[in-house]
Amino acid sequence: MRHVTQWLRSTHSLVPNKTKRSRSVCEAFGLWGLHIIPTQTWTTVRSVRWTPLRAGQWKLNVDGASQGNSGSSGGGGILRDSTGCILFAFSNFYNIQTITVAEAMTIRDGLFLCEEQNITNIVLESDSKVLVDMLRADSCPHWRLKNIWADIMRCRGRITTITHQFREGNQTADALTAHGVRSRRRTVFSFWQDMPLEARGAHRLERLGIPSLCIHRTPLSAPPR
């Protein structure tokens, strides 16, 4: 992929002037005898939102991020009751990690905080499909996660349900993650007023049930009918 990308960039300076006036990249390569079929995509738009639970349950929303994968990474999460009230929120900085490791470390740290306060009956919600599938299968194929996974499994009994949420429906945790990367430190918030501004705003919208739009584009071999 790297070699192909470099070749495509280098051809830009070699094409005749008339190709630079072509209406599209496909037409420009057509003058070289290279026939490229444009990618057709099917766009799906759905409405997503944070949904409250029934009384007696706690929802732990978590998110992790890595700038560059691997790069400066962090994570954040928030635990709320059935009415959307906060029990705690947190943001952490994880130095240089991959996105999968950062997501796993965030889940571990969120469960550790639940363990400290003896919280059970937890609904864990993450926008990492990889980690959600691993937790549902109780299997970790990634050797880099061995120690982190052992910590998560120790707290696994506190989780009753594991759900996947799109990033657009996980915006409070996303804002807390961004704060962790920026601040480069670990912070635990016990009150809504203590959270960073972006996280406070996202939490308020989620608690009110305000939906966000999730746009997903799927490549097609043929145009949709």
Side-chain angles (χ1 to χ4, degrees):
M1 290 175 62
R2 184 173 65 253
H3 291 319
V4 171
T5 302
Q6 291 173 349
W7 178 81
L8 289 173
R9 289 174 178 171
S10 66
T11 57
H12 179 73
S13 60
L14 299 176
V15 294
N17 291 334
K18 61 180 179 180
T19 64
K20 295 182 179 180
R21 294 193 296 268
S22 299
R23 289 180 299 173
S24 70
V25 174
C26 293
E27 292 179 8
F29 280 110
L31 296 174
W32 284 87
L34 302 174
H35 300 289
I36 302 174
I37 301 175
T39 301
Q40 300 289 337
T41 59
W42 177 257
T43 302
T44 304
V45 181
R46 69 176 68 190
S47 173
V48 296
R49 70 181 72 196
W50 184 85
T51 55
L53 305 171
R54 62 177 183 267
Q57 289 185 310
W58 302 87
K59 180 176 280 191
L60 177 63
N61 285 86
V62 293
D63 184 36
S66 175
Q67 297 177 344
N69 197 27
S70 304
S72 295
S73 63
I78 180 171
L79 184 73
R80 289 171 279 199
D81 65 12
S82 58
T83 66
C85 292
I86 298 173
L87 182 64
F88 66 75
F90 68 95
S91 62
N92 284 346
F93 178 66
Y94 297 133
N95 294 312
I96 306 299
Q97 304 290 350
T98 65
I99 179 63
T100 303
V101 173
E103 295 272 10
M105 294 176 75
T106 307
I107 293 174
R108 177 201 63 189
D109 292 346
L111 291 176
F112 278 179
L113 287 171
C114 291
E115 186 179 49
E116 289 176 5
Q117 302 193 36
N118 196 27
I119 300 296
T120 58
N121 205 14
I122 299 168
V123 174
L124 177 65
E125 194 165 79
S126 170
D127 58 15
S128 172
K129 189 68 166 58
V130 173
L131 267 299
V132 167
D133 289 343
M134 287 167 53
L135 285 166
R136 285 174 174 171
D138 286 330
S139 174
C140 177
H142 300 283
W143 64 269
R144 292 180 183 273
L145 301 179
K146 180 180 179 181
N147 295 331
I148 303 171
W149 189 257
D151 291 334
I152 293 174
M153 288 297 100
R154 183 169 59 82
C155 302
R156 178 66 173 83
R158 298 179 179 274
I159 304 172
T160 58
T161 308
I162 302 167
T163 61
H164 174 258
Q165 176 62 280
F166 292 100
R167 182 175 180 269
E168 291 80 1
N170 202 32
Q171 294 191 23
T172 304
D174 183 71
L176 290 164
T177 298
H179 176 75
V181 176
R182 288 194 308 268
S183 65
R184 304 178 73 87
R185 67 174 183 269
R186 180 179 186 271
T187 311
V188 177
F189 309 96
S190 299
F191 302 99
W192 172 81
Q193 298 88 340
D194 298 333
M195 294 196 303
L197 181 63
E198 297 85 354
R200 295 203 306 267
H203 164 68
R204 180 177 294 177
L205 293 175
E206 288 179 348
R207 190 178 181 187
L208 290 173
I210 306 299
S212 299
L213 293 180
C214 175
I215 301 175
H216 181 69
R217 293 181 174 87
T218 305
L220 297 176
S221 57
R225 296 181 179 181

